Amino acid sequence: MDIAGVLHDHGLLTATQLELVRQEANGVRADQLAVELGYVDEAVALRTIGDEIGLPFMDLRDFDVDRQVLAKFPTTPIYRHSLLPLHERDGRVVVATSDPFDLEPLDELGALSGVRIVPALAPRNEIVRLIKDNLGVGGDTVNKLVAQTSDEVELLDSIDDDLGELAEQAQEASVIRLVNELLVEALEQQASDIHVEPSERGLRVRFRVDGILRVQPIPPEINQFVQAIVTRLKIMARLNIAEKRRPQDGRIQLRVSGREIDVRVSIIPMLHGEGIVMRLLDKERMVFELDNVGMPTEVLEPFRELISLPHGIVLVTGPTGSGKTSTLYSALTAIKSPATKIITVEDPVEYQTEGISQIQVQSKVGLTFAAGLRSILRHDPDVVLIGEIRDGETAQSAIQASLTGHLVFSTLHTNDAPGAITRLVDMGVEPYLVASTVEAALAQRLVRVLCKSCKEPYQPNPDDLPPDFPKEALANSDVYRPVGCRACRDVGYAGRTGVFELMRMDTDLRRMTVEQVGTDVLARHARDHGMLTLRESGWGKVLDGTTSIDEVLRITKGDYVG
């Protein structure tokens, strides 16, 4: 069958594209090559071919697979050939395939199951997605369906081969591939963390995507591989595989499909086994630019002025996972130059950046934040980043660094910007030192961004709006809400951006700091003099269509001040 000719006859390929496809085919199916080159959509091509050869086309985007029918089939050919039994009709089972010209896999599936099969066409990525949703991530590996080893994941650090019997099962090809598939799937979903949690009922795997944990479907048979999975991850992170009573932390450096990935591994013994959390740092996705963090103009412009000061302390506050480190690295990137010496002290060093000297805290040998800061001041820095001010000693060191003519960046765990001032005083720093050194405090949170493919405008009921929502702005702005589609995996959101609260110190705030007034008094003064609160920054993101009202309420609970 002249597939390229069929696509051309139906107006899907121009004469020039037809000629190019025929020249470049070289054993590749013409429609697949046309899809790869971007000439035609796969679904459109398959629908056209199906019409020619008499096979139906199935749209699987919102399809619910009949799991009772699926249970009749062995998983080996399903995973190996990307075939998916969909439902039963007239005593036959409709099976989705993306290759209408390769009938042997369908014959194999029919022979192994003893069921009569009717093929239907569907895009391969939709078939694979439904296989994962219904049979779980790595289900083929669990069933020992390893026809070849996966070269998609490459370990950048060497592994000691002489690890004894304890590691023998963990080094089997099937276990290695299962762990690799878990990492690849997490990266495809753009997860920041992987949680592998043992429980009385078996293993649970969850991915944190855009700050929200999502349970991943996995086959129940995976439970017999739990210890092998844990051991394999320990080997990759160069941890003690025999130690099961104490927490361990390690690091894995990978190359996945050509992308360098840094994985931070934390293992803690729990009631039903060892729990694992892996933090994924995708170096290709790390673009540190202040213009991309989501600051509104009224915050961005003064923040750029602050990070250009010759000395002083700039604090970024917020809970864990609120993007503080990314904001600080964006600030360092903005001021980085051959004429500026920048040194950081971090625990751990999350992002390795060219042109910045970075120090890893090593508490076991006495290299704490405070000790590291005292040492690096003898290296003649212009700008210093302290990963976190955790105690009074580190706070005092930061103050001294600022007083000796250095610009100091650091983070604190407080709920809002004014709280950073009182937190330093609570740590034992003299109020007059805080007043004379701190230039600003920036509080931030991360809100999920509405999916551009499916968000819809709506008119909210004024009575249901929060009391501090700027209702008068609704006359000139649309408000959007999440819907859910294939592009965002039916969540309604895709990606995150920041909301910010910047409090710049002025003469009155410095005086109030010395007088040790309460946080609420500092906050009231800052708001009266133009500070946008986190909630107000969030409402701005709602009114420009970036996020939803519910999302702002979710991340700013307790922040509303009437």
Side-chain angles (χ1 to χ4, degrees):
M1 180 180 179
D2 182 8
I3 302 175
V6 170
L7 296 179
H8 174 261
D9 292 342
H10 284 77
L12 301 179
L13 293 179
T14 65
T16 303
Q17 292 171 340
L18 173 65
E19 189 63 28
L20 286 172
V21 167
R22 284 176 170 167
Q23 287 177 2
E24 300 292 332
N26 293 328
V28 180
R29 227 173 63 214
D31 60 311
Q32 293 176 338
L33 181 59
V35 170
E36 185 178 331
L37 293 172
Y39 295 159
V40 63
D41 180 74
E42 183 185 12
V44 175
L46 286 174
R47 189 186 297 271
T48 302
I49 293 170
D51 290 340
E52 284 290 320
I53 63 178
L55 286 181
F57 176 84
M58 300 287 292
D59 185 348
L60 302 182
R61 284 176 294 183
D62 299 310
F63 192 88
D64 291 325
V65 175
D66 188 331
R67 296 205 175 199
Q68 290 184 336
V69 171
L70 184 59
K72 297 178 181 179
F73 292 84
T75 55
T76 303
I78 289 177
Y79 278 101
R80 183 179 296 162
H81 303 299
S82 295
L83 302 174
L84 182 60
L86 300 174
H87 56 77
E88 195 165 357
R89 187 180 65 196
D90 300 328
R92 298 182 180 185
V93 173
V94 177
V95 175
T97 177
S98 61
D99 191 342
F101 303 103
D102 189 4
L103 300 179
E104 286 188 14
L106 291 165
D107 293 339
E108 177 188 348
L109 186 64
L112 290 171
S113 63
V115 175
R116 298 176 68 187
I117 285 174
V118 176
L121 300 182
R124 188 178 187 280
N125 64 326
E126 291 295 339
I127 296 174
V128 171
R129 178 183 62 82
L130 282 176
I131 289 174
K132 289 179 180 178
D133 288 348
N134 288 277
L135 295 177
V137 177
D140 54 339
T141 305
V142 172
N143 288 282
K144 305 286 189 177
L145 309 178
V146 185
Q148 68 263 351
T149 58
S150 172
D151 60 356
E152 220 175 349
V153 177
E154 175 189 353
L155 194 61
L156 298 183
D157 291 329
S158 60
I159 286 179
D160 186 359
D161 292 330
D162 186 19
L163 293 166
E165 291 184 15
L166 191 61
E168 189 173 334
Q169 187 187 21
Q171 294 296 77
E172 290 182 2
S174 56
V175 176
I176 291 173
R177 189 178 179 198
L178 176 57
V179 172
N180 289 351
E181 287 181 356
L182 195 65
L183 292 167
V184 170
E185 180 66 18
L187 290 169
E188 285 182 357
Q189 296 191 30
Q190 298 187 351
S192 61
D193 303 85
I194 302 174
H195 293 242
V196 181
E197 304 162 327
S199 66
E200 187 176 7
R201 297 182 178 179
L203 193 68
R204 180 168 70 163
V205 175
R206 296 192 287 175
F207 295 164
R208 188 177 293 280
V209 182
D210 293 338
I212 305 295
L213 282 171
R214 299 180 187 172
V215 177
Q216 300 303 303
I218 57 172
E221 293 84 2
I222 202 172
N223 292 320
Q224 61 185 294
F225 288 89
V226 171
Q227 191 53 54
I229 292 170
V230 174
T231 304
R232 170 62 184 169
L233 288 169
K234 285 182 178 179
I235 291 170
M236 294 171 72
R238 308 183 76 82
L239 300 176
N240 184 352
I241 62 175
E243 179 58 73
K244 300 180 181 179
R245 300 170 299 171
R246 296 178 180 176
Q248 297 190 73
D249 294 309
R251 178 183 179 186
I252 305 171
Q253 290 182 291
L254 303 170
R255 183 176 289 112
V256 181
S257 301
R259 296 151 57 193
E260 284 196 18
I261 308 296
D262 200 7
V263 184
R264 301 296 165 88
V265 182
S266 175
I267 300 179
I268 299 179
M270 296 184 177
L271 187 61
H272 297 287
E274 292 175 282
I276 305 173
V277 174
M278 290 175 278
R279 167 65 56 88
L280 306 178
L281 300 174
D282 187 344
K283 295 181 180 179
E284 282 197 4
R285 291 178 57 201
M286 296 173 190
V287 180
F288 297 117
E289 294 181 4
L290 277 178
D291 290 333
N292 294 337
V293 299
M295 289 185 185
T297 304
E298 52 266 45
V299 174
L300 180 60
E301 290 181 357
F303 189 72
R304 284 191 185 278
E305 294 175 9
L306 288 164
I307 64 177
S308 300
L309 294 173
H311 55 78
I313 298 177
V314 177
L315 299 170
V316 179
T317 77
T320 301
S322 59
K324 300 186 298 294
T325 305
S326 296
T327 296
L328 285 176
Y329 265 90
S330 297
L332 293 183
T333 301
I335 62 176
K336 181 176 66 173
S337 76
T340 304
K341 173 86 169 189
I342 302 175
I343 303 182
T344 74
V345 187
E346 304 168 73
D347 183 21
V349 175
E350 290 192 11
Y351 309 118
Q352 298 180 33
T353 305
E354 191 72 26
I356 297 176
S357 303
Q358 297 171 278
I359 297 173
Q360 170 79 50
V361 166
Q362 301 284 352
S363 300
K364 292 180 181 178
V365 296
L367 181 54
T368 61
F369 279 116
L373 185 53
R374 286 195 298 270
S375 298
I376 65 177
L377 291 182
R378 292 191 287 272
H379 271 244
D380 188 30
D382 298 297
V383 180
V384 175
L385 167 64
I386 307 171
E388 182 184 347
I389 295 179
R390 296 177 177 174
D391 51 43
E393 185 183 8
T394 307
Q396 294 285 2
S397 298
I399 295 289
Q400 291 304 316
S402 172
L403 290 172
T404 51
H406 302 88
L407 180 60
V408 180
F409 295 112
S410 191
T411 68
L412 276 174
H413 287 290
T414 63
N415 290 329
D416 56 13
I421 304 301
T422 52
R423 177 62 57 85
L424 287 178
V425 174
D426 290 342
M427 286 181 175
V429 180
E430 291 292 339
Y432 75 91
L433 290 176
V434 175
S436 60
T437 56
V438 175
E439 295 294 336
L442 176 77
Q444 72 175 79
R445 300 285 192 279
L446 291 177
V447 294
R448 291 181 293 171
V449 175
L450 286 164
C451 174
K452 293 181 175 63
S453 300
C454 65
K455 68 178 183 180
E456 67 174 14
Y458 76 107
Q459 193 63 40
N461 185 339
D463 295 335
D464 296 335
L465 291 171
D468 60 326
F469 187 87
K471 300 180 180 66
E472 65 281 357
L474 290 176
N476 301 315
S477 301
D478 288 327
V479 175
Y480 292 83
R481 60 187 172 193
V483 177
C485 66
R486 179 174 56 171
C488 62
R489 294 176 181 261
D490 294 321
V491 176
Y493 299 92
R496 288 190 291 177
T497 189
V499 294
F500 301 89
E501 175 180 288
L502 178 63
M503 185 182 79
R504 297 188 69 171
M505 297 293 282
D506 59 21
T507 303
D508 290 331
L509 284 174
R510 297 187 195 279
R511 175 182 53 77
M512 292 177 185
T513 301
V514 174
E515 295 172 355
Q516 298 188 54
V517 303
T519 302
D520 56 337
V521 179
L522 294 174
R524 191 179 306 116
H525 174 85
R527 288 199 306 273
D528 290 343
H529 288 76
M531 181 186 79
L532 273 181
T533 66
L534 286 168
R535 293 267 285 206
E536 289 167 343
S537 180
W539 297 143
K541 298 287 185 184
V542 170
L543 293 172
D544 68 14
T546 300
T547 192
S548 67
I549 293 174
D550 289 342
E551 183 66 6
V552 172
L553 292 175
R554 182 182 70 84
I555 60 98
T556 60
K557 284 180 180 176
D559 291 341
Y560 169 61
V561 179

